[in-house]
Amino acid sequence: MHVLVTGGSGYIGSHTVLELLKDGHQVSVVDNLSNSSEESLRRITKMTGKKIAFHNFDLVEGDQLDKLFSNNSFDVVMHFAGFKAVGESVYKPIKYYQNNLDSTLSLCQVMSKHGVKKLIFSSSAVVYGPPDRVPITEDMLLHPTNPYGHTKAMIEQILSDIVQTNQGWEITALRYFNPIGADESDMIGEDPTGIPNNLVPYISQVAVGKLDKLKVFGNDYDTPDGTGIRDYIHVTDVAKGHVAAMHKLPRPNHMAIYNLGTGKGNSVLEVIEAFKKASGKDIPYVVAARRPGDIAEYFASVSKVKDKLNWQVEKIFFRPVKILGVGSQKILMGIANS
Ligand code: NAD
Ligand code: UFG
């Protein structure tokens, strides 16, 4: 199949491009490089010997997208492109609504015009907001608590309205929990610009001395050790989830929604301990105030995705892993590879 991957040079997109190539597909990527570089794709080509057609433009540029669809025959689109920082979205809501919604509308419009009706969308567990119970099942009500989460819930609504038009759309939304880690080749990984927002890249930079210490955001939550609990899933498992979803898209005029998680939660302190063990490095930390908008505990129910897509995680994080080196990337890869 010829798969168009939007946001394909980014963190999860690039790992998915790799899995798609391994699964024998042709891949084209659109990315405006607002949060990534083409280096990830160059490395994938080096690893696989397979070419990736790369197009550097903003999805909002409908004319360029239209031209791309005129010149290619895509079977499926995987839509990763978007902004993703929860905290930033609170301070810059317009930026988030504009980019995430406009890019998706532009994409769907062009897909519709060219008769490409198979779409896999990167949604997020943030759509659930504070859950009434865990594990979280896909049928639970959505009440996101920040603009980023609202964009994801709104896009799911838009996609669900699109399938109602009975024009043959087959859409799957994958709600990822907390993707972490890197491909086992050590060639690609997560490399955020500036100070990382997320726990694992932050810890990695503390481990290599780039940052002094971690701030643990709150130890007074109603959890066994008082720190927040999340469902950390290996990025390669997330990528393989996309390949599985592509092979089992819903029937025409239907939309499917699946959680992608491990089904197990770990606390911030457990993650620190696991990282220390795995890397042999100390991770100094201080307990700080709760981060606004954070939720005490959430992890996925994975029964539906196991049942319908025959997919489940292959990698488990929280056991010791070999130390691969001392550079920040290497440490990050080390913890990533179970
Ligand atoms: P990322 O920032 O590494 O990748 C997103 C890519 O999209 C980047 O390469 C960026 O340059 C590109 N992009 C952004 N806006 C664009 C536009 N208008 N036109 C073209 N390209 C554009 O992020 P990621 O972690 O790989 O996340 C991928 C998707 O998964 C996002 O939609 C994100 O919201 C979602 N998601 C991520 C997480 C996570 O923890 N990483 C969790 C749940 C959902
Ligand atoms: N945390 C700290 N210190 C830090 C960073 C995080 O203690 O410096 C804690 C948080 O309070 C939370 C846990 O580590 O308890 C995980 O926080 P992350 O920022 O790594 O992840 P979030 O669960 O807040 O959000 C992430 C992505 C979202 C995605 C969501 C899906 O940032 O884009 O997972 O579950 F949508």
Side-chain angles (χ1 to χ4, degrees), residues 6-14 30-37 57-60 79-84 99-100 103 121-126 148 152 174-179 190 198:
T6 78
S9 51
Y11 173 46
I12 305 171
S14 60
V30 174
D31 200 305
N32 63 2
L33 304 183
S34 55
N35 196 37
S36 59
S37 89
F57 64 84
D58 195 308
L59 283 179
V60 174
H79 180 34
F80 294 90
F83 293 150
K84 62 166 181 175
N99 189 51
N100 292 2
S103 59
F121 170 61
S122 298
S123 189
S124 165
V126 290
Y148 165 68
K152 293 293 180 186
L174 299 174
R175 294 176 179 160
Y176 322 147
F177 280 66
N178 289 53
E190 186 175 20
N198 297 115

mmCIF file of all heavy atoms in Angstrom, residues 6-14 30-37 57-60 79-84 99-100 103 121-126 148 152 174-179 190 198, ligand 1:
data_model
loop_
_atom_site.group_PDB
_atom_site.id
_atom_site.type_symbol
_atom_site.label_atom_id
_atom_site.label_comp_id
_atom_site.label_asym_id
_atom_site.label_seq_id
_atom_site.Cartn_x
_atom_site.Cartn_y
_atom_site.Cartn_z
ATOM 1 N N THR A 6 1.359 12.074 7.674
ATOM 2 C CA THR A 6 1.538 13.489 8.025
ATOM 3 C C THR A 6 2.251 13.545 9.378
ATOM 4 O O THR A 6 1.999 12.711 10.242
ATOM 5 C CB THR A 6 0.198 14.253 8.120
ATOM 6 O OG1 THR A 6 -0.432 13.932 9.380
ATOM 7 C CG2 THR A 6 -0.743 13.922 6.966
ATOM 8 N N GLY A 7 3.163 14.502 9.521
ATOM 9 C CA GLY A 7 3.946 14.562 10.766
ATOM 10 C C GLY A 7 4.907 13.390 10.866
ATOM 11 O O GLY A 7 5.315 12.986 11.954
ATOM 12 N N GLY A 8 5.315 12.860 9.720
ATOM 13 C CA GLY A 8 6.092 11.611 9.667
ATOM 14 C C GLY A 8 7.544 11.745 10.070
ATOM 15 O O GLY A 8 8.213 10.735 10.282
ATOM 16 N N SER A 9 8.067 12.986 10.183
ATOM 17 C CA SER A 9 9.455 13.093 10.661
ATOM 18 C C SER A 9 9.493 13.300 12.172
ATOM 19 O O SER A 9 10.566 13.339 12.762
ATOM 20 C CB SER A 9 10.209 14.216 9.932
ATOM 21 O OG SER A 9 9.465 15.405 9.989
ATOM 22 N N GLY A 10 8.327 13.444 12.805
ATOM 23 C CA GLY A 10 8.258 13.612 14.262
ATOM 24 C C GLY A 10 8.479 12.291 14.991
ATOM 25 O O GLY A 10 8.779 11.257 14.391
ATOM 26 N N TYR A 11 8.310 12.369 16.297
ATOM 27 C CA TYR A 11 8.666 11.242 17.177
ATOM 28 C C TYR A 11 7.879 9.961 16.840
ATOM 29 O O TYR A 11 8.469 8.952 16.419
ATOM 30 C CB TYR A 11 8.428 11.690 18.622
ATOM 31 C CG TYR A 11 8.580 10.629 19.673
ATOM 32 C CD1 TYR A 11 9.661 9.753 19.671
ATOM 33 C CD2 TYR A 11 7.644 10.515 20.708
ATOM 34 C CE1 TYR A 11 9.802 8.789 20.659
ATOM 35 C CE2 TYR A 11 7.783 9.562 21.700
ATOM 36 C CZ TYR A 11 8.856 8.695 21.666
ATOM 37 O OH TYR A 11 8.992 7.746 22.642
ATOM 38 N N ILE A 12 6.575 9.993 16.971
ATOM 39 C CA ILE A 12 5.803 8.753 16.768
ATOM 40 C C ILE A 12 5.681 8.459 15.268
ATOM 41 O O ILE A 12 5.756 7.308 14.831
ATOM 42 C CB ILE A 12 4.414 8.850 17.432
ATOM 43 C CG1 ILE A 12 4.573 9.212 18.913
ATOM 44 C CG2 ILE A 12 3.653 7.533 17.290
ATOM 45 C CD1 ILE A 12 3.273 9.546 19.624
ATOM 46 N N GLY A 13 5.536 9.531 14.471
ATOM 47 C CA GLY A 13 5.418 9.354 13.023
ATOM 48 C C GLY A 13 6.624 8.624 12.447
ATOM 49 O O GLY A 13 6.476 7.699 11.637
ATOM 50 N N SER A 14 7.833 9.017 12.868
ATOM 51 C CA SER A 14 9.033 8.401 12.279
ATOM 52 C C SER A 14 9.121 6.917 12.654
ATOM 53 O O SER A 14 9.501 6.087 11.818
ATOM 54 C CB SER A 14 10.303 9.153 12.695
ATOM 55 O OG SER A 14 10.450 9.134 14.097
ATOM 56 N N VAL A 30 4.487 14.112 4.736
ATOM 57 C CA VAL A 30 4.365 15.581 4.731
ATOM 58 C C VAL A 30 4.650 16.060 6.134
ATOM 59 O O VAL A 30 4.058 15.557 7.091
ATOM 60 C CB VAL A 30 2.931 16.053 4.378
ATOM 61 C CG1 VAL A 30 2.827 17.571 4.531
ATOM 62 C CG2 VAL A 30 2.547 15.655 2.991
ATOM 63 N N ASP A 31 5.561 17.012 6.247
ATOM 64 C CA ASP A 31 5.847 17.596 7.561
ATOM 65 C C ASP A 31 6.407 18.991 7.321
ATOM 66 O O ASP A 31 7.185 19.195 6.388
ATOM 67 C CB ASP A 31 6.874 16.734 8.318
ATOM 68 C CG ASP A 31 6.849 16.982 9.819
ATOM 69 O OD1 ASP A 31 6.997 18.158 10.236
ATOM 70 O OD2 ASP A 31 6.677 16.027 10.587
ATOM 71 N N ASN A 32 5.996 19.950 8.152
ATOM 72 C CA ASN A 32 6.551 21.302 7.980
ATOM 73 C C ASN A 32 7.770 21.532 8.874
ATOM 74 O O ASN A 32 8.260 22.650 8.976
ATOM 75 C CB ASN A 32 5.485 22.376 8.255
ATOM 76 C CG ASN A 32 4.990 22.355 9.698
ATOM 77 O OD1 ASN A 32 5.453 21.563 10.508
ATOM 78 N ND2 ASN A 32 4.048 23.230 10.012
ATOM 79 N N LEU A 33 8.229 20.478 9.523
ATOM 80 C CA LEU A 33 9.430 20.508 10.370
ATOM 81 C C LEU A 33 9.323 21.532 11.504
ATOM 82 O O LEU A 33 10.338 22.023 11.992
ATOM 83 C CB LEU A 33 10.699 20.743 9.522
ATOM 84 C CG LEU A 33 10.928 19.742 8.383
ATOM 85 C CD1 LEU A 33 12.251 20.035 7.664
ATOM 86 C CD2 LEU A 33 10.937 18.300 8.884
ATOM 87 N N SER A 34 8.097 21.835 11.924
ATOM 88 C CA SER A 34 7.947 22.792 13.022
ATOM 89 C C SER A 34 8.419 22.196 14.338
ATOM 90 O O SER A 34 8.760 22.913 15.271
ATOM 91 C CB SER A 34 6.490 23.268 13.152
ATOM 92 O OG SER A 34 5.628 22.166 13.298
ATOM 93 N N ASN A 35 8.443 20.864 14.444
ATOM 94 C CA ASN A 35 8.934 20.246 15.684
ATOM 95 C C ASN A 35 9.784 19.000 15.401
ATOM 96 O O ASN A 35 9.784 18.051 16.172
ATOM 97 C CB ASN A 35 7.751 19.866 16.588
ATOM 98 C CG ASN A 35 8.181 19.595 18.018
ATOM 99 O OD1 ASN A 35 9.073 20.276 18.538
ATOM 100 N ND2 ASN A 35 7.582 18.609 18.661
ATOM 101 N N SER A 36 10.482 19.020 14.269
ATOM 102 C CA SER A 36 11.295 17.836 13.940
ATOM 103 C C SER A 36 12.290 18.232 12.863
ATOM 104 O O SER A 36 12.280 19.369 12.395
ATOM 105 C CB SER A 36 10.397 16.699 13.425
ATOM 106 O OG SER A 36 9.687 17.133 12.276
ATOM 107 N N SER A 37 13.119 17.276 12.461
ATOM 108 C CA SER A 37 14.004 17.554 11.330
ATOM 109 C C SER A 37 13.943 16.346 10.383
ATOM 110 O O SER A 37 13.471 15.271 10.782
ATOM 111 C CB SER A 37 15.437 17.809 11.797
ATOM 112 O OG SER A 37 16.129 16.591 11.857
ATOM 113 N N PHE A 57 5.968 20.894 3.776
ATOM 114 C CA PHE A 57 5.033 22.021 3.760
ATOM 115 C C PHE A 57 3.994 21.855 4.873
ATOM 116 O O PHE A 57 3.872 20.785 5.479
ATOM 117 C CB PHE A 57 4.381 22.221 2.381
ATOM 118 C CG PHE A 57 3.510 21.099 1.892
ATOM 119 C CD1 PHE A 57 2.175 20.997 2.273
ATOM 120 C CD2 PHE A 57 4.007 20.143 1.012
ATOM 121 C CE1 PHE A 57 1.362 19.974 1.798
ATOM 122 C CE2 PHE A 57 3.203 19.112 0.530
ATOM 123 C CZ PHE A 57 1.883 19.036 0.919
ATOM 124 N N ASP A 58 3.280 22.938 5.111
ATOM 125 C CA ASP A 58 2.264 22.954 6.160
ATOM 126 C C ASP A 58 0.968 22.376 5.585
ATOM 127 O O ASP A 58 0.540 22.769 4.489
ATOM 128 C CB ASP A 58 2.061 24.415 6.608
ATOM 129 C CG ASP A 58 1.305 24.506 7.913
ATOM 130 O OD1 ASP A 58 0.222 23.898 8.016
ATOM 131 O OD2 ASP A 58 1.804 25.184 8.813
ATOM 132 N N LEU A 59 0.330 21.492 6.332
ATOM 133 C CA LEU A 59 -0.908 20.858 5.834
ATOM 134 C C LEU A 59 -2.007 21.874 5.540
ATOM 135 O O LEU A 59 -2.916 21.605 4.759
ATOM 136 C CB LEU A 59 -1.442 19.882 6.883
ATOM 137 C CG LEU A 59 -0.754 18.532 7.009
ATOM 138 C CD1 LEU A 59 -1.415 17.734 8.113
ATOM 139 C CD2 LEU A 59 -0.825 17.766 5.695
ATOM 140 N N VAL A 60 -1.899 22.999 6.207
ATOM 141 C CA VAL A 60 -2.904 24.032 5.989
ATOM 142 C C VAL A 60 -2.837 24.562 4.549
ATOM 143 O O VAL A 60 -3.820 25.082 4.017
ATOM 144 C CB VAL A 60 -2.715 25.159 7.046
ATOM 145 C CG1 VAL A 60 -3.637 26.325 6.794
ATOM 146 C CG2 VAL A 60 -2.926 24.595 8.436
ATOM 147 N N HIS A 79 -2.464 10.308 10.112
ATOM 148 C CA HIS A 79 -2.397 11.747 10.401
ATOM 149 C C HIS A 79 -1.852 12.006 11.813
ATOM 150 O O HIS A 79 -2.603 11.995 12.793
ATOM 151 C CB HIS A 79 -3.807 12.330 10.244
ATOM 152 C CG HIS A 79 -3.897 13.786 10.512
ATOM 153 N ND1 HIS A 79 -2.899 14.683 10.217
ATOM 154 C CD2 HIS A 79 -4.897 14.530 11.070
ATOM 155 C CE1 HIS A 79 -3.271 15.904 10.576
ATOM 156 N NE2 HIS A 79 -4.474 15.829 11.108
ATOM 157 N N PHE A 80 -0.531 12.237 11.868
ATOM 158 C CA PHE A 80 0.150 12.525 13.142
ATOM 159 C C PHE A 80 0.360 14.023 13.344
ATOM 160 O O PHE A 80 0.600 14.459 14.472
ATOM 161 C CB PHE A 80 1.549 11.879 13.161
ATOM 162 C CG PHE A 80 1.545 10.386 13.164
ATOM 163 C CD1 PHE A 80 1.568 9.669 11.971
ATOM 164 C CD2 PHE A 80 1.527 9.681 14.350
ATOM 165 C CE1 PHE A 80 1.574 8.282 11.964
ATOM 166 C CE2 PHE A 80 1.529 8.294 14.361
ATOM 167 C CZ PHE A 80 1.547 7.594 13.164
ATOM 168 N N ALA A 81 0.366 14.808 12.257
ATOM 169 C CA ALA A 81 0.788 16.212 12.362
ATOM 170 C C ALA A 81 -0.095 16.970 13.335
ATOM 171 O O ALA A 81 -1.321 16.854 13.314
ATOM 172 C CB ALA A 81 0.748 16.867 10.987
ATOM 173 N N GLY A 82 0.543 17.761 14.190
ATOM 174 C CA GLY A 82 -0.207 18.578 15.138
ATOM 175 C C GLY A 82 0.708 19.038 16.245
ATOM 176 O O GLY A 82 1.832 18.550 16.370
ATOM 177 N N PHE A 83 0.217 19.984 17.030
ATOM 178 C CA PHE A 83 0.958 20.396 18.226
ATOM 179 C C PHE A 83 0.446 19.567 19.391
ATOM 180 O O PHE A 83 -0.737 19.216 19.453
ATOM 181 C CB PHE A 83 0.738 21.886 18.500
ATOM 182 C CG PHE A 83 1.330 22.794 17.446
ATOM 183 C CD1 PHE A 83 0.746 24.031 17.173
ATOM 184 C CD2 PHE A 83 2.466 22.432 16.742
ATOM 185 C CE1 PHE A 83 1.288 24.877 16.212
ATOM 186 C CE2 PHE A 83 3.024 23.276 15.787
ATOM 187 C CZ PHE A 83 2.429 24.507 15.521
ATOM 188 N N LYS A 84 1.356 19.315 20.388
ATOM 189 C CA LYS A 84 1.007 18.299 21.388
ATOM 190 C C LYS A 84 1.311 18.646 22.836
ATOM 191 O O LYS A 84 1.146 17.793 23.708
ATOM 192 C CB LYS A 84 1.733 17.002 21.042
ATOM 193 C CG LYS A 84 3.257 17.160 21.092
ATOM 194 C CD LYS A 84 3.983 15.845 21.100
ATOM 195 C CE LYS A 84 5.479 16.057 21.176
ATOM 196 N NZ LYS A 84 6.246 14.851 21.301
ATOM 197 N N ASN A 99 -3.829 25.287 14.479
ATOM 198 C CA ASN A 99 -2.996 24.301 13.788
ATOM 199 C C ASN A 99 -3.671 22.928 13.729
ATOM 200 O O ASN A 99 -3.773 22.318 12.659
ATOM 201 C CB ASN A 99 -1.625 24.181 14.464
ATOM 202 C CG ASN A 99 -0.673 23.327 13.639
ATOM 203 O OD1 ASN A 99 -0.500 23.565 12.436
ATOM 204 N ND2 ASN A 99 -0.092 22.327 14.249
ATOM 205 N N ASN A 100 -4.136 22.448 14.873
ATOM 206 C CA ASN A 100 -4.647 21.074 14.895
ATOM 207 C C ASN A 100 -5.952 20.930 14.104
ATOM 208 O O ASN A 100 -6.136 19.942 13.376
ATOM 209 C CB ASN A 100 -4.822 20.601 16.341
ATOM 210 C CG ASN A 100 -3.473 20.438 17.050
ATOM 211 O OD1 ASN A 100 -2.428 20.720 16.458
ATOM 212 N ND2 ASN A 100 -3.487 20.006 18.284
ATOM 213 N N SER A 103 -5.346 22.047 10.061
ATOM 214 C CA SER A 103 -4.583 21.068 9.285
ATOM 215 C C SER A 103 -5.444 19.829 9.005
ATOM 216 O O SER A 103 -5.408 19.270 7.905
ATOM 217 C CB SER A 103 -3.287 20.692 9.999
ATOM 218 O OG SER A 103 -3.572 20.150 11.259
ATOM 219 N N PHE A 121 -6.073 8.317 12.666
ATOM 220 C CA PHE A 121 -5.823 9.593 13.331
ATOM 221 C C PHE A 121 -5.183 9.393 14.705
ATOM 222 O O PHE A 121 -5.609 8.539 15.485
ATOM 223 C CB PHE A 121 -7.151 10.356 13.483
ATOM 224 C CG PHE A 121 -7.037 11.560 14.371
ATOM 225 C CD1 PHE A 121 -6.182 12.607 14.040
ATOM 226 C CD2 PHE A 121 -7.769 11.644 15.550
ATOM 227 C CE1 PHE A 121 -6.055 13.712 14.871
ATOM 228 C CE2 PHE A 121 -7.647 12.741 16.385
ATOM 229 C CZ PHE A 121 -6.785 13.778 16.047
ATOM 230 N N SER A 122 -4.169 10.224 15.000
ATOM 231 C CA SER A 122 -3.488 10.212 16.304
ATOM 232 C C SER A 122 -4.321 10.962 17.325
ATOM 233 O O SER A 122 -4.244 12.184 17.420
ATOM 234 C CB SER A 122 -2.164 10.972 16.230
ATOM 235 O OG SER A 122 -1.287 10.401 15.333
ATOM 236 N N SER A 123 -5.100 10.233 18.110
ATOM 237 C CA SER A 123 -5.787 10.897 19.200
ATOM 238 C C SER A 123 -4.991 10.671 20.483
ATOM 239 O O SER A 123 -3.819 10.251 20.421
ATOM 240 C CB SER A 123 -7.227 10.383 19.311
ATOM 241 O OG SER A 123 -7.944 11.187 20.230
ATOM 242 N N SER A 124 -5.581 10.952 21.604
ATOM 243 C CA SER A 124 -4.803 10.911 22.840
ATOM 244 C C SER A 124 -5.687 10.553 24.020
ATOM 245 O O SER A 124 -6.888 10.870 24.029
ATOM 246 C CB SER A 124 -4.197 12.299 23.062
ATOM 247 O OG SER A 124 -3.726 12.413 24.380
ATOM 248 N N ALA A 125 -5.067 9.966 25.024
ATOM 249 C CA ALA A 125 -5.802 9.672 26.259
ATOM 250 C C ALA A 125 -6.251 10.946 26.966
ATOM 251 O O ALA A 125 -7.128 10.877 27.828
ATOM 252 C CB ALA A 125 -4.910 8.858 27.195
ATOM 253 N N VAL A 126 -5.675 12.093 26.596
ATOM 254 C CA VAL A 126 -6.124 13.333 27.258
ATOM 255 C C VAL A 126 -7.582 13.650 26.955
ATOM 256 O O VAL A 126 -8.185 14.454 27.647
ATOM 257 C CB VAL A 126 -5.263 14.588 26.922
ATOM 258 C CG1 VAL A 126 -3.895 14.514 27.532
ATOM 259 C CG2 VAL A 126 -5.217 14.863 25.460
ATOM 260 N N TYR A 148 -5.430 21.497 24.218
ATOM 261 C CA TYR A 148 -4.887 20.415 23.392
ATOM 262 C C TYR A 148 -5.862 19.228 23.357
ATOM 263 O O TYR A 148 -6.202 18.706 22.294
ATOM 264 C CB TYR A 148 -3.528 19.975 23.941
ATOM 265 C CG TYR A 148 -3.037 18.654 23.400
ATOM 266 C CD1 TYR A 148 -2.674 18.510 22.069
ATOM 267 C CD2 TYR A 148 -2.945 17.521 24.224
ATOM 268 C CE1 TYR A 148 -2.225 17.284 21.571
ATOM 269 C CE2 TYR A 148 -2.503 16.309 23.733
ATOM 270 C CZ TYR A 148 -2.143 16.188 22.411
ATOM 271 O OH TYR A 148 -1.715 14.982 21.925
ATOM 272 N N LYS A 152 -8.234 17.384 20.220
ATOM 273 C CA LYS A 152 -8.307 15.958 19.865
ATOM 274 C C LYS A 152 -9.766 15.477 19.901
ATOM 275 O O LYS A 152 -10.213 14.737 19.018
ATOM 276 C CB LYS A 152 -7.442 15.124 20.812
ATOM 277 C CG LYS A 152 -5.950 15.381 20.676
ATOM 278 C CD LYS A 152 -5.423 14.916 19.322
ATOM 279 C CE LYS A 152 -3.950 15.147 19.141
ATOM 280 N NZ LYS A 152 -3.455 14.839 17.804
ATOM 281 N N LEU A 174 -6.797 6.416 17.171
ATOM 282 C CA LEU A 174 -6.042 5.686 18.193
ATOM 283 C C LEU A 174 -5.726 6.646 19.336
ATOM 284 O O LEU A 174 -5.101 7.692 19.111
ATOM 285 C CB LEU A 174 -4.746 5.119 17.577
ATOM 286 C CG LEU A 174 -4.971 4.121 16.437
ATOM 287 C CD1 LEU A 174 -3.642 3.725 15.789
ATOM 288 C CD2 LEU A 174 -5.707 2.869 16.927
ATOM 289 N N ARG A 175 -6.204 6.292 20.512
ATOM 290 C CA ARG A 175 -5.959 7.153 21.677
ATOM 291 C C ARG A 175 -4.738 6.624 22.424
ATOM 292 O O ARG A 175 -4.834 5.636 23.164
ATOM 293 C CB ARG A 175 -7.191 7.149 22.601
ATOM 294 C CG ARG A 175 -8.400 7.800 21.960
ATOM 295 C CD ARG A 175 -9.623 7.694 22.863
ATOM 296 N NE ARG A 175 -10.784 8.327 22.258
ATOM 297 C CZ ARG A 175 -12.038 8.086 22.599
ATOM 298 N NH1 ARG A 175 -12.318 7.203 23.553
ATOM 299 N NH2 ARG A 175 -13.035 8.718 22.002
ATOM 300 N N TYR A 176 -3.589 7.297 22.193
ATOM 301 C CA TYR A 176 -2.360 6.822 22.840
ATOM 302 C C TYR A 176 -2.344 7.268 24.290
ATOM 303 O O TYR A 176 -2.711 8.384 24.605
ATOM 304 C CB TYR A 176 -1.083 7.401 22.230
ATOM 305 C CG TYR A 176 -1.015 7.583 20.749
ATOM 306 C CD1 TYR A 176 -0.288 8.648 20.227
ATOM 307 C CD2 TYR A 176 -1.623 6.702 19.867
ATOM 308 C CE1 TYR A 176 -0.182 8.836 18.872
ATOM 309 C CE2 TYR A 176 -1.515 6.896 18.503
ATOM 310 C CZ TYR A 176 -0.808 7.964 18.012
ATOM 311 O OH TYR A 176 -0.702 8.166 16.671
ATOM 312 N N PHE A 177 -1.779 6.418 25.129
ATOM 313 C CA PHE A 177 -1.523 6.819 26.514
ATOM 314 C C PHE A 177 -0.145 7.508 26.539
ATOM 315 O O PHE A 177 0.004 8.521 25.871
ATOM 316 C CB PHE A 177 -1.751 5.627 27.452
ATOM 317 C CG PHE A 177 -3.251 5.492 27.699
ATOM 318 C CD1 PHE A 177 -4.114 5.157 26.659
ATOM 319 C CD2 PHE A 177 -3.805 5.790 28.921
ATOM 320 C CE1 PHE A 177 -5.502 5.124 26.851
ATOM 321 C CE2 PHE A 177 -5.183 5.753 29.126
ATOM 322 C CZ PHE A 177 -6.024 5.419 28.090
ATOM 323 N N ASN A 178 0.866 7.028 27.215
ATOM 324 C CA ASN A 178 2.121 7.808 27.260
ATOM 325 C C ASN A 178 3.250 7.114 26.494
ATOM 326 O O ASN A 178 3.972 6.283 27.060
ATOM 327 C CB ASN A 178 2.538 8.033 28.718
ATOM 328 C CG ASN A 178 1.627 9.017 29.415
ATOM 329 O OD1 ASN A 178 0.404 8.850 29.407
ATOM 330 N ND2 ASN A 178 2.184 10.041 30.001
ATOM 331 N N PRO A 179 3.422 7.457 25.211
ATOM 332 C CA PRO A 179 4.486 6.822 24.436
ATOM 333 C C PRO A 179 5.863 7.294 24.910
ATOM 334 O O PRO A 179 6.077 8.488 25.098
ATOM 335 C CB PRO A 179 4.235 7.317 23.002
ATOM 336 C CG PRO A 179 2.854 7.882 23.009
ATOM 337 C CD PRO A 179 2.629 8.388 24.398
ATOM 338 N N GLU A 190 13.383 10.099 20.613
ATOM 339 C CA GLU A 190 12.666 11.333 20.934
ATOM 340 C C GLU A 190 13.709 12.388 21.263
ATOM 341 O O GLU A 190 14.545 12.180 22.135
ATOM 342 C CB GLU A 190 11.756 11.107 22.152
ATOM 343 C CG GLU A 190 10.878 12.305 22.457
ATOM 344 C CD GLU A 190 9.877 12.034 23.586
ATOM 345 O OE1 GLU A 190 10.089 11.100 24.370
ATOM 346 O OE2 GLU A 190 8.889 12.783 23.660
ATOM 347 N N ASN A 198 7.891 16.456 29.038
ATOM 348 C CA ASN A 198 7.454 15.131 29.483
ATOM 349 C C ASN A 198 8.476 14.467 30.400
ATOM 350 O O ASN A 198 9.666 14.766 30.355
ATOM 351 C CB ASN A 198 7.170 14.237 28.273
ATOM 352 C CG ASN A 198 6.033 14.778 27.441
ATOM 353 O OD1 ASN A 198 6.238 15.164 26.303
ATOM 354 N ND2 ASN A 198 4.852 14.846 28.013
HETATM 355 P P1 NAD B 1 5.952 15.440 17.183
HETATM 356 O O1 NAD B 1 5.856 16.899 17.481
HETATM 357 O O2 NAD B 1 7.267 14.791 17.333
HETATM 358 O O3 NAD B 1 5.414 15.152 15.705
HETATM 359 C C1 NAD B 1 4.416 15.924 15.095
HETATM 360 C C2 NAD B 1 4.945 16.356 13.733
HETATM 361 O O4 NAD B 1 3.953 17.116 13.052
HETATM 362 C C3 NAD B 1 6.192 17.212 13.840
HETATM 363 O O5 NAD B 1 7.206 16.639 13.041
HETATM 364 C C4 NAD B 1 5.762 18.585 13.289
HETATM 365 O O6 NAD B 1 6.815 19.230 12.608
HETATM 366 C C5 NAD B 1 4.596 18.213 12.391
HETATM 367 N N1 NAD B 1 3.561 19.240 12.214
HETATM 368 C C6 NAD B 1 2.887 19.923 13.175
HETATM 369 N N2 NAD B 1 1.963 20.728 12.614
HETATM 370 C C7 NAD B 1 2.052 20.562 11.267
HETATM 371 C C8 NAD B 1 1.373 21.114 10.148
HETATM 372 N N3 NAD B 1 0.406 22.031 10.300
HETATM 373 N N4 NAD B 1 1.716 20.713 8.905
HETATM 374 C C9 NAD B 1 2.711 19.780 8.729
HETATM 375 N N5 NAD B 1 3.391 19.227 9.750
HETATM 376 C C10 NAD B 1 3.066 19.607 11.008
HETATM 377 O O7 NAD B 1 4.838 14.724 18.085
HETATM 378 P P2 NAD B 1 4.607 13.177 18.366
HETATM 379 O O8 NAD B 1 4.903 12.921 19.787
HETATM 380 O O9 NAD B 1 5.239 12.363 17.310
HETATM 381 O O10 NAD B 1 3.017 13.123 18.223
HETATM 382 C C11 NAD B 1 2.380 12.746 17.013
HETATM 383 C C12 NAD B 1 0.878 12.834 17.196
HETATM 384 O O11 NAD B 1 0.487 11.996 18.289
HETATM 385 C C13 NAD B 1 0.386 14.234 17.558
HETATM 386 O O12 NAD B 1 -0.835 14.458 16.873
HETATM 387 C C14 NAD B 1 0.163 14.173 19.057
HETATM 388 O O13 NAD B 1 -0.829 15.073 19.471
HETATM 389 C C15 NAD B 1 -0.281 12.731 19.233
HETATM 390 N N6 NAD B 1 -0.023 12.213 20.576
HETATM 391 C C16 NAD B 1 1.233 12.267 21.097
HETATM 392 C C17 NAD B 1 1.476 11.781 22.382
HETATM 393 C C18 NAD B 1 2.847 11.851 22.999
HETATM 394 O O14 NAD B 1 2.962 11.712 24.230
HETATM 395 N N7 NAD B 1 3.906 12.031 22.230
HETATM 396 C C19 NAD B 1 0.426 11.222 23.128
HETATM 397 C C20 NAD B 1 -0.850 11.164 22.559
HETATM 398 C C21 NAD B 1 -1.057 11.660 21.263
#
